[in-house]
Amino acid sequence: MINHKIPMDGGNIMDLFHRGRPVRVCAPMVRYSKLAFRCLVRKYDCDVCFTPMIIAADFMRSIKARDSEFTTTDRPLIVQFAAKDAQTLADAACVVSPFSDGVDLNCGCPQRWAVSEGYGACLINKPELVKDMVRHVRNQIDNPNYTVSIKIRIHKDLRKTVDLCQKVEAAGVSWITVHGRTADERHQPVHYDAIKTIKDSLSIPVIANGDIKSMQDVEAVYELTGVDGVMAARGLLANPAMFAGYEETPLQCVWDWVDIAVEHGTPFTCFHHHLIYMLECISSQPERRVFNSLSSTSAVVDFLHSTYGSL
């Protein structure tokens, strides 16, 4: 069921950056980047998946948090942490390193709660701290193939972003994902010129993030910026088969999700929400109204059979 690109016993994820095309990455999404959805996008040419963001301090403090936040049988996998001190991040990285291919530090979440707690986007203004965090993880993980990456937003003054990126490159970061908006921007156009400037300033791989909704977008961003990979979030929620070149979610993908979600015991709300996203472009408004009101897995399956038929 899972389309492994790297053997389960590991391998060097950095090799993916040398295949002559942009690496296709599924973004860390709260509630959505769980194991079942990662298994689905891997069937449709996604190269690397991220876990949802996990708060490193909570993860280390509580066995319950570890069990609920971190489930994996899929590789290659990057575990994204929110952290604000180097030792906590390094400790969390040591716990997950046998079961994953790298850790990523969230330096881009713009939500008010995260920033007020010292997590996410506020870290782009603390380059020395981010450098220290990267170096700590590097020093504590024995596996030389294990990656340490960061995901950032950009400053209004792009020189600050370039400075941050060059500092963490010197500290040993494996790659950087750049969401091409500032922490204050939500739906404004992505600054692809800024991503290109950052890419041109570094010798490590750079992944572009922001408004990637089709393979045409992937190619266009690749041409515009010269990046080494692209990361999609909402585009993959709407069409998990996007990286395989489908313009909209194919029926096969819908039924694959039903099978995978049932197999993994996915809670109904999550199972249903994914289908709401996937069916949005291929269903009529009256169909959506009915579908959105369904309240059991069996009702969903019956609706899909009667509306779209089986394969």
Side-chain angles (χ1 to χ4, degrees):
M1 180 183 68
I2 303 168
N3 182 11
H4 296 297
K5 299 288 194 306
I6 286 180
M8 287 297 289
D9 60 354
N12 192 344
I13 200 169
M14 299 303 289
D15 291 344
L16 292 173
F17 291 108
H18 302 295
R19 299 195 309 186
R21 65 162 177 81
V23 177
R24 300 160 185 178
V25 185
C26 180
M29 293 178 277
V30 177
R31 292 184 299 278
Y32 295 120
S33 299
K34 296 290 179 75
L35 175 60
F37 185 68
R38 299 196 306 259
C39 290
L40 179 66
V41 295
R42 289 182 195 281
K43 282 180 75 85
Y44 290 92
D45 292 353
C46 183
D47 297 314
V48 179
C49 291
F50 276 54
T51 67
M53 182 183 79
I54 300 168
I55 297 173
D58 294 348
F59 185 77
M60 293 309 297
R61 199 178 298 125
S62 156
I63 292 172
K64 187 178 175 188
R66 289 199 286 280
D67 288 345
S68 71
E69 293 286 352
F70 186 64
T71 50
T72 175
T73 55
D74 62 320
R75 306 284 284 272
L77 181 69
I78 304 299
V79 183
Q80 191 187 64
F81 284 113
K84 54 186 173 183
D85 76 275
Q87 193 55 56
T88 304
L89 178 63
D91 290 345
C94 287
V95 172
V96 301
S97 63
F99 314 103
S100 59
D101 300 278
V103 291
D104 184 82
L105 174 63
N106 185 314
C107 303
C109 178
Q111 291 184 41
R112 199 172 290 125
W113 72 265
V115 173
S116 67
E117 293 278 328
Y119 299 128
C122 70
L123 290 175
I124 63 173
N125 298 313
K126 301 177 182 178
E128 294 302 323
L129 174 59
V130 175
K131 226 172 84 174
D132 193 36
M133 292 162 97
V134 168
R135 199 174 280 131
H136 252 69
V137 177
R138 270 269 169 265
N139 290 342
Q140 286 194 229
I141 302 271
D142 289 335
N143 179 359
N145 291 334
Y146 199 74
T147 63
V148 187
S149 56
I150 65 171
K151 184 173 186 291
I152 64 170
R153 283 186 173 234
I154 60 173
H155 298 83
K156 283 193 175 72
D157 179 355
L158 196 60
R159 288 171 300 183
K160 289 184 177 177
T161 318
V162 170
D163 178 62
L164 165 70
C165 292
Q166 290 175 337
K167 280 178 171 156
V168 292
E169 178 179 29
V173 84
S174 306
W175 77 76
I176 297 174
T177 301
V178 183
H179 183 118
R181 293 184 175 99
T182 68
D184 297 327
E185 292 176 327
R186 292 296 179 272
H187 304 295
Q188 290 90 332
V190 175
H191 302 285
Y192 293 116
D193 55 337
I195 297 177
K196 177 175 172 31
T197 299
I198 293 164
K199 170 60 190 166
D200 290 346
S201 306
L202 303 172
S203 55
I204 53 170
V206 172
I207 293 174
N209 176 223
D211 287 358
I212 306 285
K213 293 182 178 157
S214 68
M215 280 307 289
Q216 286 94 323
D217 292 342
V218 171
E219 294 303 325
V221 170
Y222 179 55
E223 291 293 322
L224 272 171
T225 62
V227 289
D228 307 273
V230 289
M231 175 185 283
R234 284 178 306 213
L236 281 175
L237 282 182
N239 178 8
M242 179 185 88
F243 284 144
Y246 291 92
E247 296 288 317
E248 55 190 28
T249 310
L251 191 55
Q252 172 73 60
C253 183
V254 173
W255 286 114
D256 283 341
W257 170 243
V258 172
D259 291 344
I260 291 169
V262 169
E263 183 185 330
H264 283 87
T266 302
F268 175 76
T269 305
C270 181
F271 166 69
H272 191 214
H273 276 176
H274 274 294
L275 285 168
I276 288 170
Y277 281 116
M278 290 160 66
L279 296 173
E280 189 169 352
C281 289
I282 57 176
S283 56
S284 66
Q285 198 170 1
E287 286 169 348
R288 285 200 298 275
R289 201 174 297 121
V290 172
F291 185 80
N292 293 358
S293 68
L294 300 176
S295 57
S296 72
T297 300
S298 57
V300 165
V301 171
D302 289 346
F303 176 91
L304 293 174
H305 274 299
S306 62
T307 309
Y308 302 105
S310 51
L311 291 168

